[in-house]
């Protein structure tokens, strides 16, 4: 695979993770458990959508055929999206949303911290801008894991159940495939093998503080990075893309 | 049983050198969450560089029934304003 093809694919993976998670989180808008957290979680959703925009704009530049960020967001089908399976999993309730968010944030923090030293100054600048937002995301979701895990009997049971169910989706974030390895070798991307122990240590630390039992299973889902998705992505795209698909190029 | 989380008052300082101003109130289970909620609710348009929170029940307020006794007497005492001095022309920024 040529470096340029790998790089485009890599940027789309990063952009798709941010966009799909941002879209998922925005489903909470108006439905948060209290006003304060409704605003907190939609702020985070907007951070992700802002990051997706920067990545798509850069991907469009690299691709070089005159595409825009909107082409990537609104005119691709599910198999062309390269986000990990974790981010498309449903919100379910606050516990599931928090577990999904925390596992993603733990990865995302160490990923972007490392990305700041990318050989591509543009990608490094993107990482430097985003790490401030992501540092807050990780603090916010870590606190919620501890509050629910170490809260009441019911909150503990519910977040443990969420962890048991979503645990097997985190592996895809930190297990490198061919493109991850090509990008790590060029030193443009992040070496996942290097950040994997840091991500795992962060999870262990927070789960311990929260009194949660880390699932024993080591089997992990994969497929999203290569465009093989769960049924959920189609529904997310249907809602997200409906307006642009119905009125292409429409602006407001 | 009251199922609402405790109420907190939020004070935001907009920039260094100015004092904290009351911004509003919010619900949170403890001080740490109150700071984060305040950050999310009251500084999302870059309103602040510092946040104070205090649980509303810890604020002691003057009684509206005492308004006359407390505040009326000062209304007629204009001499307490430093407006009776001649400021020399050479003094600027007064």
């Amino acid at each position: 695979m040529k470096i340029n093809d790998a790089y485009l694919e890599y940027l789309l993976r990063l952009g798709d993770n941010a966009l799909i998670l941002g879209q998922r989180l925005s489903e909470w808008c108006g439905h948060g458990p209290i006003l304060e957290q409704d605003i907190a979680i939609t702020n985070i959703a907007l951070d992700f959508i802002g990051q997706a925009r920067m990545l798509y704009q850069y991907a469009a530049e690299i691709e070089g055929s005159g595409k825009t960020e909107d082409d990537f967001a609104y005119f691709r089908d599910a198999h062309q999206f390269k986000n990990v399976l974790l981010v498309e999993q449903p919100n379910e309730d606050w516990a599931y949303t928090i577990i999904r968010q925390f596992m993603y944030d733990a990865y995302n923090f160490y990923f972007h911290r490392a990305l700041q030293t990318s050989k591509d100054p543009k990608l490094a600048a993107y990482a430097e801008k985003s790490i401030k937002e992501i540092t807050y995301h990780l603090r916010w979701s870590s606190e919620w894991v501890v509050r629910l895990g170490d809260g009441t009997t019911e909150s503990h049971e519910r977040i443990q159940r969420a962890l048991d169910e979503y645990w097997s989706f985190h592996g895809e974030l930190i297990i490198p495939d061919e493109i991850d390895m090509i990008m790590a070798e060029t030193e443009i991307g992040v070496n996942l093998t290097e950040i994997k122990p840091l991500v795992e240590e962060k999870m262990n630390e927070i789960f311990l503080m929260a009194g949660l039992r880390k699932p024993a299973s080591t089997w992990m889902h994969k497929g999203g990075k290569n465009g093989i998705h769960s049924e959920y992505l189609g529904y997310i795209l249907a809602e997200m893309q409906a307006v642009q698909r119905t009125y292409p190029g429409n602006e407001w | 049983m009251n199922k609402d989380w405790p109420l907190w008052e939020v004070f935001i300082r907009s920039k260094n050198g100015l004092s904290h101003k009351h911004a509003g109130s919010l619900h949170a289970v403890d001080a740490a969450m109150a700071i984060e909620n305040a950050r999310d609710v009251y500084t999302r348009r870059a309103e602040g560089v510092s946040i104070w929170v205090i649980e509303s029940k810890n604020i002691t307020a003057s009684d509206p029934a005492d308004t006359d006794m407390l505040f009326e007497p000062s209304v007629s005492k204009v001499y307490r304003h430093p407006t009776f001095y001649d400021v020399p022309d050479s003094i600027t920024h007064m």
Side-chain angles (χ1 to χ4, degrees), chain A residues 135-156:
Chain A
T135 305
Y136 185 75
H137 300 168
L138 178 59
R139 177 166 147 184
W140 180 86
S141 60
S142 301
E143 256 189 43
W144 269 108
V145 170
V146 176
R147 283 182 192 285
L148 296 178
D150 194 26
T152 64
T153 313
E154 185 182 350
S155 74
H156 175 85

Side-chain angles (χ1 to χ4, degrees), chain A residues 80-218:
Chain A
Q80 294 166 303
F81 273 78
K82 304 298 166 62
N83 56 279
V84 293
L85 295 170
L86 176 69
V87 298
E88 68 198 47
Q89 297 310 304
N91 290 342
E92 301 288 2
D93 60 17
W94 195 248
Y96 280 82
T97 299
I98 291 297
I99 277 295
R100 185 186 64 202
Q101 195 58 36
F102 168 67
M103 294 197 296
Y104 189 79
D105 290 342
Y107 146 81
N108 210 29
F109 174 77
Y110 290 106
F111 182 90
H112 280 79
R113 204 178 67 167
L115 195 64
Q116 290 179 98
T117 58
S118 167
K119 279 267 170 73
D120 179 348
K122 271 196 138 171
L123 201 57
Y126 150 78
E128 214 169 293
K129 181 172 160 46
S130 303
I131 191 76
K132 298 186 191 90
E133 295 171 342
I134 294 165
T135 305
Y136 185 75
H137 300 168
L138 178 59
R139 177 166 147 184
W140 180 86
S141 60
S142 301
E143 256 189 43
W144 269 108
V145 170
V146 176
R147 283 182 192 285
L148 296 178
D150 194 26
T152 64
T153 313
E154 185 182 350
S155 74
H156 175 85
E157 274 170 18
R158 289 175 69 169
I159 195 159
Q160 181 67 59
R161 195 187 318 149
L163 174 58
D164 291 344
E165 203 166 314
Y166 280 178
W167 172 250
S168 54
F169 287 103
H170 88 273
E172 202 179 9
L173 292 165
I174 47 179
I175 299 168
D177 71 355
E178 194 199 344
I179 289 177
D180 292 319
M181 287 192 276
I182 293 173
M183 295 315 294
E185 211 164 294
T186 60
E187 293 180 46
I188 289 172
V190 170
N191 187 338
L192 292 184
T193 318
E194 267 171 32
I195 67 163
K196 187 168 181 275
L198 300 171
V199 175
E200 286 169 345
E201 197 184 306
K202 185 69 184 174
M203 288 192 195
N204 288 341
E205 175 203 328
I206 299 298
F207 292 153
L208 187 72
M209 276 173 75
L212 293 174
R213 186 189 64 252
K214 197 171 83 176
S217 164
T218 53

Side-chain angles (χ1 to χ4, degrees), chain A residues 9 12-21 23 52 56 69-85 87-88 172 223-230 233-234 236-238 240-241 245:
Chain A
E9 191 75 5
L12 289 178
R13 284 180 179 185
L14 301 186
D16 292 347
N17 279 344
L19 181 67
I20 299 302
L21 187 53
Q23 177 72 14
Y56 286 155
E69 52 184 311
D70 284 355
D71 291 316
F72 290 123
Y74 298 124
F75 295 101
R76 284 183 303 151
D77 289 324
H79 69 276
Q80 294 166 303
F81 273 78
K82 304 298 166 62
N83 56 279
V84 293
L85 295 170
V87 298
E88 68 198 47
E172 202 179 9
K225 282 181 184 181
N226 295 312
I228 301 162
H229 292 281
S230 60
L233 186 64
I236 296 173
L237 296 184
M240 189 180 77
Q241 298 179 334
R245 297 273 184 162

Side-chain angles (χ1 to χ4, degrees), chain A residues 29-70:
Chain A
C29 188
H31 301 276
I34 59 164
L35 176 143
E36 289 81 352
Q37 294 307 326
D38 193 284
I39 295 179
I41 203 161
T42 41
N43 277 349
I44 294 172
L46 282 174
D47 288 345
F48 278 113
I49 288 167
Q51 289 166 15
R53 290 193 56 191
M54 286 188 277
L55 291 159
Y56 286 155
Q57 284 165 6
Y58 193 30
E61 204 180 308
I62 300 249
E63 207 248 6
S65 73
K67 279 203 173 115
T68 69
E69 52 184 311
D70 284 355

Side-chain angles (χ1 to χ4, degrees), chain B residues 12-34:
Chain B
I12 306 281
R13 191 178 73 204
S14 56
K15 64 179 196 185
N16 285 322
L18 297 182
S19 55
H20 287 73
K21 271 210 172 76
H22 187 232
S25 52
L26 49 73
H27 291 98
V29 292
D30 58 25
M33 190 195 277

